[in-house]
Amino acid sequence: MTETQNTVEFTPERLTKAQEIIARYPEGRQKSALLPLLHLAQEQWGWLSPEVMDYVARMLDIQAIEVYEVATFYTMFHLDPVGKHVIEYCRTGPCCLMGGEEVYDYLKQKLGIQAGETTPDQKFTLKEVECLAACGMGPVFQIREQYYMHLTKERVDEIIEELSK
């Protein structure tokens, strides 16, 4: 997407892709394309600003609030600018029982940020999530589609060092 003087638009390639996604659904059911379009928008923009969500709503001929409801419900959508690597870490009971609180406290200390914050170099954002569905392999965090399981302080050091390159 490009933004010029408060106008948000998909790039020509993304617009073509968006039109292909919308065309998958029968007339009158374009709202079904909402999740794929939000993914497409976030992939291009990096996060979903109100202007971007309004643009998606106009494309689908739905109310902006319908887009906001979906975008705010799912933790996979970023409503604020994020770093290059978004670390989503599980804060539910099973991960905590397996040492998650200690590992996550260490991660926050190592990066010098709290949940919902981004490092000054824009490399890392921490995001708490309710469950990553890997309860037997905790503590767990996810960066994009990659799961990091059985985390320890040493493993956190290795991961952060690798991603910092």
Side-chain angles (χ1 to χ4, degrees):
M1 277 182 255
T2 59
E3 184 175 359
T4 53
Q5 299 175 0
N6 298 331
T7 300
V8 174
E9 297 175 339
F10 279 121
T11 61
E13 299 80 17
R14 297 242 180 243
L15 182 58
T16 298
K17 179 70 173 171
Q19 291 166 340
E20 289 170 2
I21 290 169
I22 294 168
R24 295 177 193 162
Y25 302 98
E27 184 66 34
R29 302 282 187 207
Q30 290 84 357
K31 184 178 177 181
S32 299
L34 180 54
L35 284 174
L37 287 186
L38 289 176
H39 282 291
L40 186 67
Q42 183 166 279
E43 182 181 292
Q44 178 68 29
W45 192 255
W47 66 291
L48 301 175
S49 68
E51 295 80 14
V52 170
M53 291 187 279
D54 291 349
Y55 175 65
V56 170
R58 287 191 304 275
M59 287 189 79
L60 296 175
D61 195 28
I62 60 176
Q63 297 296 311
I65 188 65
E66 295 176 90
V67 178
Y68 295 178
E69 288 170 341
V70 171
T72 59
F73 179 79
Y74 292 104
T75 59
M76 64 192 160
F77 296 120
H78 311 305
L79 304 177
D80 294 300
V82 294
K84 181 178 180 181
H85 305 288
V86 178
I87 302 173
E88 298 178 301
Y89 63 94
C90 180
R91 295 291 295 158
T92 55
C95 278
C96 289
L97 287 172
M98 298 175 82
E101 289 180 325
E102 183 180 335
V103 170
Y104 301 136
D105 287 344
Y106 178 75
L107 176 62
K108 289 185 256 186
Q109 175 192 0
K110 181 166 186 67
L111 295 176
I113 59 174
Q114 297 296 311
E117 296 179 345
T118 300
T119 55
D121 63 4
Q122 303 297 305
K123 284 189 180 177
F124 299 98
T125 297
L126 288 181
K127 197 171 187 179
E128 291 182 350
V129 295
E130 282 305 308
C131 184
L132 292 172
C135 298
M137 294 165 268
V140 175
F141 63 62
Q142 178 179 3
I143 302 173
R144 288 177 291 288
E145 292 80 27
Q146 176 68 46
Y147 273 58
Y148 297 87
M149 300 169 278
H150 304 291
L151 294 170
T152 62
K153 291 178 183 180
E154 296 77 19
R155 183 70 181 120
V156 166
D157 286 340
E158 293 170 6
I159 294 165
I160 298 304
E161 181 181 329
E162 181 64 31
L163 294 174
S164 294
K165 294 178 181 176

